[in-house]
Amino acid sequence: MPNLIYYSNTDINIYDANTGDRLATQMAKGRYLQTQDTELTAALNKQLDYLEIKLLADDYGGWLWHGDLEKLQLCDRQKYIAQLPPIPNASAISDRLPQVIAYIQQAMSTPNEYLWGGTVAPNYDCSGLMQAAFASVGIIIPRDAYQQEAFGDRLEGGQLPQDLQIGDLIFFGNSTKATHVGIYIGNDQYIHSSGKEHGHNGIAISALQGSDPVSKWYAQQLRGAARIVRSLPPIVPI
């Protein structure tokens, strides 16, 4: 039996386990998810507090609290397929980068704080902010920083590539994995949503070679940069 497709009428939290202890991501209003009929039936009968789902567009998995089922609307499979937008090419993506940055600047101008798993206004985590900003102009990128790094075209030239351009994503982390991301805005600066302990507790500008504590903290973890030149292809539910 094909998975059921649902449309969200509002923003919904998606958790990283069936305990609901921590966010994995958020389902913005207007997004789609799929889930198995057996999971849904059990949740509706209150045999499950959380049901496992997959968000469409980025194929990101998580757990939905059964009480949020009332915020979803069942969607016909063919109707979902018919509304899938065209995939922008590299040229279209480049043209839309100023709008991506404008989205982030607007988010920064609104009172906000860092939220692990946050992908909807006003509170974001680092990669959630990037995903939301690109999605606002029809460019779909993966959810997590390490996935975004792998998805983009890696720029050659070490940690600070010579051909770094406005709109490139900057990645930070350890020797094996990217754990943080920001977007380059020129003049050695990038915007990112960073945490409370070593960051700005929200969206702010840092410098790649700055002397302030936040810039210095992330400079120690700089991995490199990647350019977004493609959008994820549409997910057709199974």
Side-chain angles (χ1 to χ4, degrees):
M1 176 179 244
N3 286 339
L4 298 174
I5 308 167
Y6 279 86
Y7 170 92
S8 175
N9 292 311
T10 187
D11 300 334
I12 299 176
N13 289 337
I14 305 297
Y15 299 92
D16 69 355
N18 61 357
T19 54
D21 296 329
R22 191 173 76 158
L23 282 181
T25 191
Q26 292 174 304
M27 181 182 185
K29 178 181 178 180
R31 286 196 65 178
Y32 295 81
L33 62 75
Q34 62 175 325
T35 189
Q36 295 180 6
D37 179 57
T38 52
E39 290 268 330
L40 180 70
T41 300
L44 288 172
N45 292 333
K46 299 183 179 179
Q47 297 169 340
L48 288 175
D49 287 333
Y50 294 87
L51 65 155
E52 194 169 11
I53 60 94
K54 277 284 186 78
L55 291 177
L56 297 174
D58 60 2
D59 203 32
Y60 201 80
W63 296 83
L64 175 77
W65 178 53
H66 73 88
D68 284 330
L69 286 170
E70 63 184 23
K71 301 175 183 178
L72 299 174
Q73 179 178 334
L74 185 63
C75 179
D76 177 77
R77 179 184 176 89
Q78 294 305 316
K79 183 178 180 181
Y80 165 78
I81 294 174
Q83 62 79 45
L84 291 172
I87 304 173
N89 59 25
S91 177
I93 289 172
S94 179
D95 290 343
R96 297 177 197 180
L97 289 177
Q99 297 169 265
V100 172
I101 293 173
Y103 179 100
I104 295 172
Q105 290 171 329
Q106 177 60 40
M108 183 172 63
S109 70
T110 303
N112 67 90
E113 61 182 31
Y114 180 86
L115 175 64
W116 178 275
T119 63
V120 299
N123 304 320
Y124 300 88
D125 66 16
C126 63
S127 54
L129 176 62
M130 299 302 121
Q131 188 186 51
F134 278 89
S136 73
V137 295
I139 304 166
I140 308 304
I141 64 174
R143 171 62 182 90
D144 293 331
Y146 74 94
Q147 296 172 324
Q148 293 172 3
E149 182 185 53
F151 182 72
D153 277 9
R154 188 68 181 263
L155 303 182
E156 301 298 330
Q159 294 177 328
L160 284 176
Q162 294 295 318
D163 62 341
L164 195 62
Q165 297 178 9
I166 293 173
D168 289 340
L169 297 185
I170 311 294
F171 294 95
F172 308 83
N174 53 45
S175 59
T176 59
K177 185 177 181 180
T179 58
H180 188 71
V181 59
I183 190 165
Y184 187 64
I185 57 172
N187 297 320
D188 196 47
Q189 296 180 319
Y190 61 97
I191 305 178
H192 59 144
S193 180
S194 54
K196 299 177 181 179
E197 186 176 358
H198 298 289
H200 299 288
N201 189 24
I203 306 168
I205 295 174
S206 293
L208 288 168
Q209 302 180 76
S211 58
D212 64 282
V214 176
S215 295
K216 289 174 68 175
W217 169 258
Y218 283 106
Q220 298 170 9
Q221 303 169 58
L222 184 61
R223 284 175 55 89
R227 186 164 297 150
I228 299 300
V229 297
R230 63 186 63 84
S231 178
L232 284 172
I235 302 294
V236 177
I238 58 175

